[in-house]
Amino acid sequence: MDAARIGRPRTFDTDQALQRAMVVFWAQGYEGASLTDLTNAMGITKTSMYAAFGNKEELFRKALQLYTEGPAAYGPAALELPTAREVAAALLAGSVRATTQPGCPAGCLGVQGSLAAGEPGRPARDTLAAWREGFVARLRGRFQRAVDEGDLPADVDPGLLARYVMTVSNGIAVQAAGGVGHDELHVVAVAAMGQWPPSAVRTGGLD
């Protein structure tokens, strides 16, 4: 191998390239995004993509992490709010906002990215399933804390409540991907919060 080629610095912005790959996966899903689609959007060759990011599966994992820290960052932030009701309201409002944001693909990368994948897309499908379940577990823990602190009634099932909130959130994402707009989905989120159990503290958004 030519020694001059070893250690040659990359001639592209890896952060920008990953951002573009994330948008392609978000818009087209894991299997729908071909290597040609990805490299064209990233403005690099396949060789450069493999060298910088690994294979397509590894690129997808990196793109999902970027999505988690960017468009989906409202989720972890919501867990820090003072009351369980505020947590749930912020999650649903964030889901509506993120899945209908102008200039971005409709829907949620973490929900639709690999729902209908065949065998080649199984690793991505499993990654996304673990991603979603990991957040449900965190939300369950947050609601358990609310029960322990008296913010939620003692007879509330934290796991069931977490599953309910995330089912509505994921449903919002699917509806957004199908073309339903922000205003209508906001009404859905408000209606879902209308089913919130009575609690010691009834403050928060989406009232």
Side-chain angles (χ1 to χ4, degrees):
M1 179 180 293
D2 184 351
R5 299 179 64 89
I6 300 176
R8 175 181 292 179
R10 296 190 181 111
T11 58
F12 64 93
D13 185 325
T14 55
D15 291 339
Q16 185 180 75
L18 183 58
Q19 175 76 26
R20 292 174 176 174
M22 179 193 74
V23 173
V24 174
F25 283 128
W26 190 352
Q28 300 176 211
Y30 179 80
E31 285 196 315
S34 69
L35 287 177
T36 298
D37 293 333
L38 290 163
T39 53
N40 284 348
M42 296 164 79
I44 60 177
T45 65
K46 292 180 181 178
T47 299
S48 294
M49 190 207 79
Y50 286 126
F53 300 105
N55 59 23
K56 181 182 176 182
E57 181 184 339
E58 292 169 338
L59 176 63
F60 181 76
R61 290 177 185 274
K62 291 181 173 69
L64 180 61
Q65 183 61 38
L66 182 63
Y67 181 81
T68 303
E69 296 168 355
Y74 66 88
L79 297 178
E80 303 302 318
L81 293 174
T83 70
R85 183 180 177 86
E86 287 177 288
V87 169
L91 285 173
L92 296 185
S95 180
V96 172
R97 185 174 60 251
T99 60
T100 60
Q101 185 175 347
C104 293
C108 172
L109 169 61
V111 174
Q112 293 113 249
S114 194
L115 284 182
E119 190 58 33
R122 179 178 292 277
R125 187 175 64 203
D126 292 346
T127 293
L128 290 183
W131 183 81
R132 292 190 297 269
E133 286 303 304
F135 190 78
V136 170
R138 293 179 66 185
L139 186 58
R140 181 189 307 119
R142 177 63 184 83
F143 288 161
Q144 180 62 63
R145 193 182 95 197
V147 171
D148 295 342
E149 294 174 348
D151 176 37
L152 285 172
D155 60 352
V156 166
D157 182 333
L160 181 59
L161 187 58
R163 184 68 63 186
Y164 169 74
V165 171
M166 293 314 301
T167 296
V168 175
S169 177
N170 293 342
I172 285 171
V174 172
Q175 291 292 306
V180 181
H182 175 280
D183 292 348
E184 188 172 351
L185 292 174
H186 176 77
V187 172
V188 170
V190 171
M193 288 304 299
Q195 305 303 311
W196 192 253
S199 61
V201 180
R202 289 188 61 85
T203 60
L206 291 178
D207 290 324

